[in-house]
Amino acid sequence: MEKIITEGIIKSYLNDFLKNIEVDVVIAGAGPSGIVCGYYLGKNGIKTVIFERHLKVGGGMPGGGMMFNRIIVQEEAMDIIKEFKIKYKKYEKYYVLDAIETISGLTYRTIREGVKIFNLISVEDVVIRENRVNGVVINWTSTQIAKFHVDPLAIISKYVVDATGHDCEICKVVEKKVGGISVKGERSMWAEKGEREIVENTKEVYPGLIVCGMAANAFFGSERMGAVFGGMFLSGKKAAEIIIENKK
Ligand code: 48H
């Protein structure tokens, strides 16, 4: 029995991994914006893989607001929530959602659209060709934590989506190693403004590199917004739409 368990796990994992070493889109980060972006790409037949640094998916969602595991969503993003069939309750002019149900609902449907999510893997660099981002460089998160010198592997893609949240990590790598872009850094909390600007900030910021979610506000120097997530979902959807439009 033990041999079959070991063999089954490794063969299945490697099979999936090998199918994803050249894809249309790599998304760095399985937070709300990255997962929603993956869902709409998958739904439109675009081959997409998500690499998530953490053991878990969901980014900042499970923590809700200060560990009260609920999130707030505004009317503008409710069509997305309804599409995923996630439950909600009206609260004043907003909606309150269970953070865990939201993560589960988003993740399940995204995987069912054919998007592979590999957790415990960090994107540490990009592949660059003729002034275009052409893939990512990845490594096991555990090697980073242990500070071991282990050389990485590369994944080739037509687009990379930076959905790494507050740290805007992929754009910072391009800023430092490639040049031509500059990450302004996020500003203090102003929920309405941050939410208003996040969709506008969701853009292709360098050929082949799209920024979404909190990383988009960090890139353009917009405000943070606390535990309101409508903008994250809308931003993830817009990032997918940019790619779908460009691929036509
Ligand atoms: C692989 C990586 C890497 C890497 C990070 O932080 P997230 O939830 O990001 P968003 O933008 O989808 O959502 C932001 C939201 O959660 C939030 O923080 C809000 C609304 N804050 C407002 C406020 O005022 O504080 O998810 C990013 C994910 C995480 O799971 C990271 O582990 C992962 O990306 N990640 N994965 N390679 N280099 N860097």
Side-chain angles (χ1 to χ4, degrees):
M1 187 182 179
E2 289 86 347
K3 176 178 175 267
I4 298 170
I5 295 170
T6 305
E7 206 174 67
I9 286 173
I10 294 176
K11 273 191 177 162
S12 162
Y13 187 93
L14 291 183
N15 239 336
D16 282 344
F17 201 87
L18 284 170
K19 283 187 200 143
N20 283 284
I21 56 177
E22 184 162 13
V23 293
D24 292 322
V25 183
V26 170
I27 300 173
S33 67
I35 298 176
V36 168
C37 178
Y39 170 79
Y40 286 105
L41 290 171
K43 202 176 162 196
N44 281 276
I46 294 177
K47 193 170 162 50
T48 303
V49 62
I50 305 182
F51 292 107
E52 167 53 52
R53 161 174 294 160
H54 213 278
L55 182 58
K56 61 144 184 73
V57 295
M61 276 190 293
M66 216 183 102
M67 293 207 275
F68 298 100
N69 66 356
R70 301 289 182 273
I71 59 171
I72 297 292
V73 178
Q74 318 85 309
E75 189 66 54
E76 298 89 300
M78 285 309 288
D79 281 350
I80 298 177
I81 294 307
K82 287 174 191 161
E83 181 163 355
F84 281 95
K85 298 191 168 61
I86 293 163
K87 275 201 242 140
Y88 53 85
K89 279 213 171 99
K90 187 127 192 148
Y91 183 74
E92 307 247 338
K93 62 175 183 168
Y94 303 115
Y95 296 87
V96 190
L97 280 61
D98 180 298
I100 306 300
E101 182 183 342
T102 309
I103 297 163
S104 315
L106 295 180
T107 308
Y108 176 74
R109 295 282 303 283
T110 300
I111 291 170
R112 282 300 164 104
E113 289 297 347
V115 175
K116 273 287 156 200
I117 304 179
F118 292 100
N119 57 336
L120 294 165
I121 294 181
S122 294
V123 176
E124 62 167 53
D125 204 342
V126 295
V127 176
I128 197 86
R129 289 284 185 285
E130 318 289 349
N131 301 322
R132 186 177 174 91
V133 170
N134 203 205
V136 294
V137 175
I138 56 169
N139 216 330
W140 300 110
T141 302
S142 50
T143 63
Q144 293 186 338
I145 293 168
K147 297 192 168 52
F148 287 160
H149 179 165
V150 177
D151 278 352
L153 293 173
I155 304 291
I156 301 305
S157 66
K158 297 188 181 84
Y159 286 95
V160 172
V161 177
D162 185 343
T164 62
H166 294 266
D167 291 336
C168 194
E169 281 193 29
I170 314 308
C171 294
K172 280 188 185 157
V173 166
V174 172
E175 176 183 30
K176 187 169 154 212
K177 295 194 180 185
V178 181
I181 60 172
S182 141
V183 180
K184 289 211 174 101
E186 80 179 35
R187 298 172 69 88
S188 290
M189 194 179 291
W190 184 350
E192 281 94 349
K193 187 165 182 285
E195 284 289 279
R196 201 167 54 238
E197 291 179 7
I198 195 164
V199 177
E200 173 59 26
N201 289 341
T202 303
K203 284 189 181 139
E204 186 168 9
V205 292
Y206 187 89
L209 176 63
I210 286 148
V211 67
C212 77
M214 204 54 223
N217 275 13
F219 188 92
F220 286 103
S222 291
E223 284 74 6
R224 68 188 302 184
M225 66 296 287
V228 56
F229 280 75
M232 302 303 140
F233 304 139
L234 291 165
S235 170
K237 186 173 183 202
K238 183 178 172 194
E241 285 165 354
I242 293 170
I243 295 170
I244 293 161
E245 197 49 44
N246 285 354
K247 279 207 86 202
K248 276 182 190 161

